[in-house]
Amino acid sequence: MVKIYHDQDADLKALSDKTIAIVGWGNQGHAQGENLKDSGLNVIAADIPGSRAWKRAEADGVKAMSVADAARAADYIQILLPDEYQGKIYRDEIAPNLEEGNVLGFSHGFNIRYFQIVPPENVDVVMVAPKGPGDLVRRTYQEGKGVPCLVAVEQDHSGEAKRKALAYAKGIGGTRAGVIETTFTEETETDLFGEQVDLCGGVTEMIKAAFETLVDAGYQPEIAYFEACHELKLIVDLIYEGGFMRMWNNVSNTAEYGGMTRGHRIINEQSREEMLDILAEIQSGEFAREWILESQAGLPVKKSLEKMESEHPIEEVGAQLRAMMPWLEKK
């Protein structure tokens, strides 16, 4: 049975006498750090001296330090760097400065799950993972609400690891919404699967395929863009707000019937077999090895694919049409 923790299940006193280092004062880092500070906890920022993130931390009223200095000063070290940087920075700057009883915290389990970070046995290893971007984590906290989080304990040296992790989750506002217990393995594998199969990989390929099908059949690219891409946000927003039935109840009967009777022809048994293959690559570590080697090589495949994506006709048509809709511009 799933365990969900709320405000009454967490006590900030578990961290009230601790120093928390946020390693990486970026989108997620600044949000978590500022929320913790506003919750009355002692926070320091760890980043590259003089960097934009360093200056932002100082502007936020948080003391900024090098990663090594912050690791020495902190009791709870929350690593919020991109996955591909965490292993090296941990080995070079954090590991030499760890002390018994420290807490190593994460918001994604990749480096623990795939052994890029192997902590000593005398520290706690925990995860608090907000299910939303940093701006949302910060904004909802300021509104007196919060973003749901995941919590996991990989290593409990102190016997108090979960208590500290839940205190951290409360400090960033997560327990206001609810904190679901998981494991590093479950969080990592499901997160990668979602990114690859539907949230990022699957949805962009579906959009491009639909767009190309209409254009190749002779329809105007502008009309194809609206039908294959632009209107997707309207559908996703309805599902996000109220589930599938909220969406089905807010589209036409024609759209509902057509979607329900034809959708399974697009996501079919062959699609599901590929999903299982992708999951197997994630579970076995095959994808992790591929991504780690790609990162070490300077990201040649990633950069090449980005170039190809940027040159797809849907990007050119989309840019022209979005220019007609200034309200879409990011504020």
Side-chain angles (χ1 to χ4, degrees), residues 275-295:
M275 290 182 186
L276 287 172
D277 288 344
I278 288 172
L279 181 58
E281 292 168 4
I282 292 168
Q283 292 171 329
S284 69
E286 181 179 345
F287 169 76
R289 180 188 61 196
E290 179 183 328
W291 170 234
I292 292 164
L293 292 174
E294 167 75 4
S295 301

Side-chain angles (χ1 to χ4, degrees), residues 28 44 87 143 161 199 226 229 238 273 298 305 307 330-331:
Q28 194 66 235
I44 56 177
E143 293 170 348
L199 301 178
F226 277 120
C229 183
L238 289 169
E273 288 173 9
L305 292 173
K307 183 176 185 297
K330 187 175 182 180
K331 297 180 180 178

Side-chain angles (χ1 to χ4, degrees), residues 109-116 184-185 188-189 282-285:
F110 185 95
N111 279 273
I112 293 293
R113 167 65 181 83
Y114 295 115
F115 309 104
Q116 299 307 291
F184 272 67
T185 294
T188 303
E189 293 177 0
I282 292 168
Q283 292 171 329
S284 69

Side-chain angles (χ1 to χ4, degrees), residues 56-91:
R56 180 175 186 173
E58 291 182 327
D60 292 334
V62 174
K63 185 176 182 179
M65 309 171 78
S66 70
V67 175
D69 288 342
R72 278 191 290 272
D75 305 289
Y76 192 126
I77 303 162
Q78 181 79 358
I79 302 176
L80 295 173
L81 300 165
D83 291 334
E84 62 269 28
Y85 300 140
Q86 288 188 17
K88 185 177 189 310
I89 290 176
Y90 169 80
R91 291 188 294 273

Side-chain angles (χ1 to χ4, degrees), residues 234-250:
L234 309 177
I235 299 302
V236 171
D237 283 350
L238 289 169
I239 296 172
Y240 177 81
E241 293 164 2
F244 288 160
M245 292 313 300
R246 170 76 176 270
M247 182 272 290
W248 291 127
N249 290 334
N250 280 275

Side-chain angles (χ1 to χ4, degrees), residues 247-248 251-264:
M247 182 272 290
W248 291 127
V251 298
S252 70
N253 290 335
T254 307
E256 181 178 11
Y257 179 79
M260 285 188 163
T261 58
R262 266 66 175 177
H264 66 89

Side-chain angles (χ1 to χ4, degrees), residues 301-318:
V301 174
K302 177 177 176 289
K303 291 174 182 176
S304 297
L305 292 173
E306 286 175 342
K307 183 176 185 297
M308 292 168 61
E309 192 88 331
S310 69
E311 295 170 351
H312 191 281
I314 198 172
E315 283 292 271
E316 181 180 350
V317 173

Side-chain angles (χ1 to χ4, degrees), residues 181-248:
E181 188 165 14
T182 184
T183 64
F184 272 67
T185 294
E186 182 177 59
E187 185 276 338
T188 303
E189 293 177 0
T190 56
D191 187 79
L192 294 175
F193 180 82
E195 291 167 352
Q196 295 172 27
V197 168
D198 65 327
L199 301 178
C200 301
V203 72
T204 52
E205 287 303 311
M206 180 188 70
I207 291 169
K208 285 188 293 185
F211 175 85
E212 291 164 1
T213 300
L214 289 173
V215 172
D216 290 347
Y219 298 100
Q220 297 180 72
E222 294 78 8
I223 303 302
Y225 177 84
F226 277 120
E227 294 305 325
C229 183
H230 179 79
E231 292 189 21
L232 182 63
K233 182 184 185 303
L234 309 177
I235 299 302
V236 171
D237 283 350
L238 289 169
I239 296 172
Y240 177 81
E241 293 164 2
F244 288 160
M245 292 313 300
R246 170 76 176 270
M247 182 272 290
W248 291 127

